[in-house]
Amino acid sequence: MTNILGISAFYHDSAACLVQDGRIVAAAQEERFSRRKGDDAFPAQAAAYCLNAGGIAAAQLDAVAFYDKPVLHLDRLLESWLFTAPKGWRAFLHAGPLWAKSKLDLDGVIRRALDNYEGRLLWCEHHESHAASAFFPSPFEHAAVLTLDGVGEWATAAMGIGQRSDLTLTHELRYPDSLGLLYSAFTYHAGFRVNSGEYKLMGLAPYGEPRFTNAIYDHLIDLRDDGSFRMQPECFGFLSGLRMTNDRFSELFGGPPREPESPLTQREMDLARSVQDVTEEVVRRMARTAVREAGTRTLCLAGGVALNAVANGKLLRENIVDELWVQPAAGDAGGALGAALLAWHRWCEQPRVANNRRDAMSGALLGPSFAPRDIADALASQGAVVHDLGRDAVIARTAEWLADGRIIGWFDGPMEFGPRALGARSILADARVPDMQARLNLRIKFREGFRPFAPVVLAEFATDYFEVIGESPYMLQVAPVRAQRRTPMPDGAGWGIERLNIPRSDLPAITHLDYSARVQTVTADRTPGLHAVLEAFHARTACPVLVNTSFNVRGEPIVCSPADAYACLMRTNIDALAIPPFFVIRAEQPGANDAAKWNTPLPLD
């Protein structure tokens, strides 16, 4: 058996992935174990989990594949400083030591972290790792491949062709011209944290008007028909300073960056809408070019920008592609998976295995799972009051409580790989309840009230509720809610945030301001537990849709272990934890009303 461990580390969301004879056996992000959101440290705990899941020791690895080439990264830092000298000196003084600390002895860091591993180390280019994560696990034998993010070594976007076991990148866009950095600049200017707040900006966009779109085209980017573009460096701060934007950017877009945590204004909503519209247009043009060059209308996507589910959905609805597959761990975490698969197919020269039009991601459920005995021990160690009902009874009670308007933490099976909760570490609620969005945001997640929630729907009923095209198992396609389910906005409803609490459909908790929803379709073969809950809820209510949001609170990673889940239950207003075969009711727990014990300050994200 050939064992390859893929590693991504030292930028954002470090991760590890184990591939055995070409099969993805395990994958996880370090943040889930360390409990530090976006943890960029070497993924020692994630790697240990992967090796344990594969039943091997580090010495049995045939290769370790790293997701980028550190020397090329240093080359970019040096050239960027020379280009902007002397203004760029502060930026280099910040970035240079960070590079040296993490990557100067990366060979030694990897070997020491893996019990003094003595085998082969392979270095993959950043966007090749993304491309491999997009194409090799996909259900396609032939596809165009497009990757977009902030920046790798030099590349910020790449496109190419995947054909059976071969992957070739044919075009790339280079730093500082970057769609990911453009989006992050607006994230920063709107007062959100770069590398974690971009999804907030996407959620805020429907509240705004595109009044800054022309300014972006006129002053920030020179966009070409093929999707390539040049950015105007004098409007940004990331080349020569420590901020994403500068005074020139502020002049163009209505003032300085919003102070984090200060009230949102219409300007931030309009900034979000404007850059979202521009992003969608760039992705459209790049996708058209990619499929034309590859000679196929099938497309695979990866890179952080591929998590923009609004742009993804429009590629299908606007008939730019016929088939689309997006790597569910599209960001840097997925680079670990891509590096391992690239090593298997390129270094080992091994073919892909036919997968009968199913992807190879196992529903992205590639993380740790826990046996009933281990769950019982973990809950007992917390002093929890537990009802041992059996699996079927827990599913039935979960559906009953959801139908009564209560909120359930659902913990079942292997943990998800990637940023989305897909039914293994989820908070579930009834999408029909008018005030559920506000309850979840303010009393459970402790986050901004404008943030939308995603629906999970039994796959066979998806088109009855949403204009979704094909399957959407990884919650990476935004689709309109069907017209017959919408509720028209009343006259005088106002603008922006003023419309937040007005029901917009018969599923108000998951219908965004523009009548859209980020859809997850559910089948029994991918997520059997969540599928069973949905079926039971449907039988009880005639509704096959629930709210699904990640099992965490603001600023913290998704829960990994039963102890994590219990702690999250106790510090929120979740009504119960369903962790088959156990059911844990919050109100019955010792110290449930002890605010000083459980309501500790939350980190900001």
Side-chain angles (χ1 to χ4, degrees):
M1 178 179 288
T2 300
N3 301 296
I4 301 172
L5 184 70
I7 296 289
S8 64
F10 305 125
Y11 180 62
H12 181 72
D13 210 12
S14 296
C17 173
L18 180 66
V19 168
Q20 294 184 316
D21 285 349
R23 185 172 67 91
I24 305 166
V25 171
Q29 293 128 282
E30 186 70 6
E31 66 167 17
R32 307 294 168 84
F33 303 93
S34 69
R35 308 310 301 158
R36 293 190 297 271
K37 188 171 183 178
D39 195 344
D40 62 356
F42 186 87
Q45 295 179 84
Y49 153 69
C50 288
L51 294 174
N52 183 64
I56 62 169
Q60 295 172 272
L61 288 168
D62 295 276
V64 174
F66 195 75
Y67 83 129
D68 74 2
K69 294 186 175 180
V71 173
L72 291 180
H73 186 181
L74 178 62
D75 178 59
R76 172 172 59 80
L77 293 177
L78 290 172
E79 287 201 32
S80 297
W81 174 71
L82 290 172
F83 177 75
T84 58
K87 291 191 298 182
W89 181 241
R90 287 183 63 212
F92 182 77
L93 284 178
H94 176 75
L98 289 177
W99 181 94
K101 180 181 178 181
S102 62
K103 296 185 177 180
L104 188 62
D105 182 33
L106 186 53
D107 183 297
V109 168
I110 293 173
R111 294 186 187 281
R112 288 190 293 273
L114 298 175
D115 298 326
N116 295 314
Y117 168 72
E118 297 180 352
R120 178 70 66 95
L121 293 183
L122 303 173
W123 309 96
C124 307
E125 290 197 16
H126 186 98
H127 275 266
E128 277 200 314
S129 296
H130 276 320
S133 79
F135 176 65
F136 288 133
S138 79
F140 311 131
E141 285 199 357
H142 178 208
V145 180
L146 178 60
T147 67
L148 306 101
D149 66 2
V151 61
E153 299 89 356
W154 274 104
T156 63
M159 63 179 64
I161 304 169
Q163 184 80 43
R164 296 186 177 87
S165 301
D166 296 324
L167 175 64
T168 304
L169 296 184
T170 56
H171 301 73
E172 71 175 23
L173 192 66
R174 305 196 101 202
Y175 181 86
D177 305 318
S178 167
L179 185 59
L181 290 177
L182 175 71
Y183 206 86
S184 290
F186 280 83
T187 300
Y188 170 84
H189 216 73
F192 303 125
R193 183 176 293 181
V194 172
N195 288 329
S196 67
E198 284 77 6
Y199 54 90
K200 297 183 185 181
L201 202 70
M202 183 176 67
L204 189 63
Y207 294 94
E209 298 295 328
R211 66 182 173 104
F212 296 116
T213 300
N214 288 340
I216 296 174
Y217 287 127
D218 291 343
H219 299 285
L220 297 192
I221 68 169
D222 177 17
L223 179 61
R224 305 181 183 99
D225 289 342
D226 64 0
S228 64
F229 57 88
R230 294 295 300 272
M231 286 171 63
Q232 302 302 319
E234 66 271 13
C235 295
F236 298 92
F238 60 80
L239 267 173
S240 60
L242 302 179
R243 300 187 305 156
M244 292 299 297
T245 62
N246 59 19
D247 291 342
R248 174 62 177 148
F249 194 101
S250 296
E251 291 172 7
L252 291 168
F253 298 105
R258 166 182 164 258
E259 286 294 326
E261 307 304 312
S262 65
L264 285 164
T265 70
Q266 192 63 45
R267 184 193 70 146
E268 286 76 55
M269 301 172 209
D270 294 344
L271 287 172
R273 172 66 182 277
S274 300
V275 76
Q276 177 65 32
D277 283 6
V278 170
T279 296
E280 291 169 18
E281 182 58 25
V282 175
V283 172
R284 281 188 197 97
R285 295 189 188 191
M286 285 192 176
R288 288 191 187 100
T289 302
V291 297
R292 183 180 67 245
E293 293 289 325
T296 172
R297 285 173 54 81
T298 296
L299 179 65
C300 298
L301 286 177
V305 177
L307 294 171
N308 194 305
V310 177
N312 297 344
K314 290 184 178 180
L315 293 180
L316 288 166
R317 290 198 307 282
E318 295 177 12
N319 199 33
I320 294 169
V321 300
D322 292 337
E323 296 181 288
L324 177 68
W325 192 82
V326 184
Q327 166 55 240
D332 278 358
L337 184 150
L341 291 174
L342 195 64
W344 170 252
H345 293 297
R346 186 170 291 175
W347 179 60
C348 298
E349 299 182 332
Q350 294 296 319
R352 291 173 77 199
V353 177
N355 53 20
N356 298 317
R357 300 292 292 177
R358 279 286 183 165
D359 67 59
M361 289 297 294
S362 301
L365 304 180
L366 296 165
S369 60
F370 298 85
R373 182 70 264 165
D374 296 327
I375 296 171
D377 290 346
L379 294 175
S381 71
Q382 302 292 317
V385 176
V386 177
H387 299 271
D388 186 349
L389 304 179
R391 183 173 184 83
D392 291 345
V394 167
I395 290 168
R397 182 172 291 189
T398 298
E400 176 189 351
W401 278 45
L402 290 168
D404 288 341
R406 287 184 267 196
I407 298 168
I408 304 295
W410 176 256
F411 185 112
D412 184 45
M415 179 181 67
E416 301 92 339
F417 181 52
R420 308 295 185 212
L422 300 170
R425 307 289 187 273
S426 292
I427 295 173
L428 304 177
D430 189 345
R432 302 169 303 164
V433 177
D435 69 342
M436 187 59 74
Q437 179 183 3
R439 286 169 58 191
L440 286 168
N441 272 327
L442 302 178
R443 300 181 65 235
I444 305 296
K445 305 284 281 188
F446 305 119
R447 67 186 196 182
E448 302 91 342
F450 72 83
R451 301 271 291 278
F453 287 99
V456 285
V457 55
L458 291 170
E460 61 269 30
F461 294 101
T463 55
D464 294 342
Y465 289 82
F466 310 102
E467 295 176 21
V468 65
I469 297 175
E471 290 189 323
S472 182
Y474 300 120
M475 207 184 286
L476 286 169
Q477 181 188 157
V478 166
V481 174
R482 287 281 177 196
Q484 61 268 30
R485 300 200 169 273
R486 300 181 186 181
T487 302
M489 279 285 176
D491 293 338
W495 296 92
I497 294 293
E498 296 173 11
R499 297 178 288 170
L500 174 62
N501 295 317
I502 299 174
R504 296 174 285 277
S505 78
D506 58 359
L507 298 171
I510 55 84
T511 303
H512 205 11
L513 203 69
D514 57 355
Y515 295 103
S516 69
R518 193 179 72 221
V519 180
Q520 180 191 357
T521 56
V522 176
T523 55
D525 58 329
R526 279 196 174 96
T527 47
L530 179 60
H531 185 268
V533 170
L534 274 167
E535 283 201 318
F537 183 79
H538 180 230
R540 181 176 289 272
T541 66
C543 177
V545 182
L546 287 169
V547 176
N548 175 21
T549 188
S550 55
F551 199 160
N552 65 333
V553 295
R554 181 186 183 190
E556 293 186 338
I558 297 173
V559 303
C560 174
S561 69
D564 298 335
Y566 185 78
C568 191
L569 169 76
M570 296 305 295
R571 72 184 306 178
T572 68
N573 290 288
I574 295 172
D575 292 296
L577 167 63
I579 183 167
F582 307 110
F583 197 79
V584 183
I585 299 170
R586 188 185 188 282
E588 296 178 350
Q589 304 310 302
N593 297 316
D594 186 351
K597 178 178 181 180
W598 295 108
N599 294 337
T600 54
L602 298 173
L604 301 180
D605 58 350

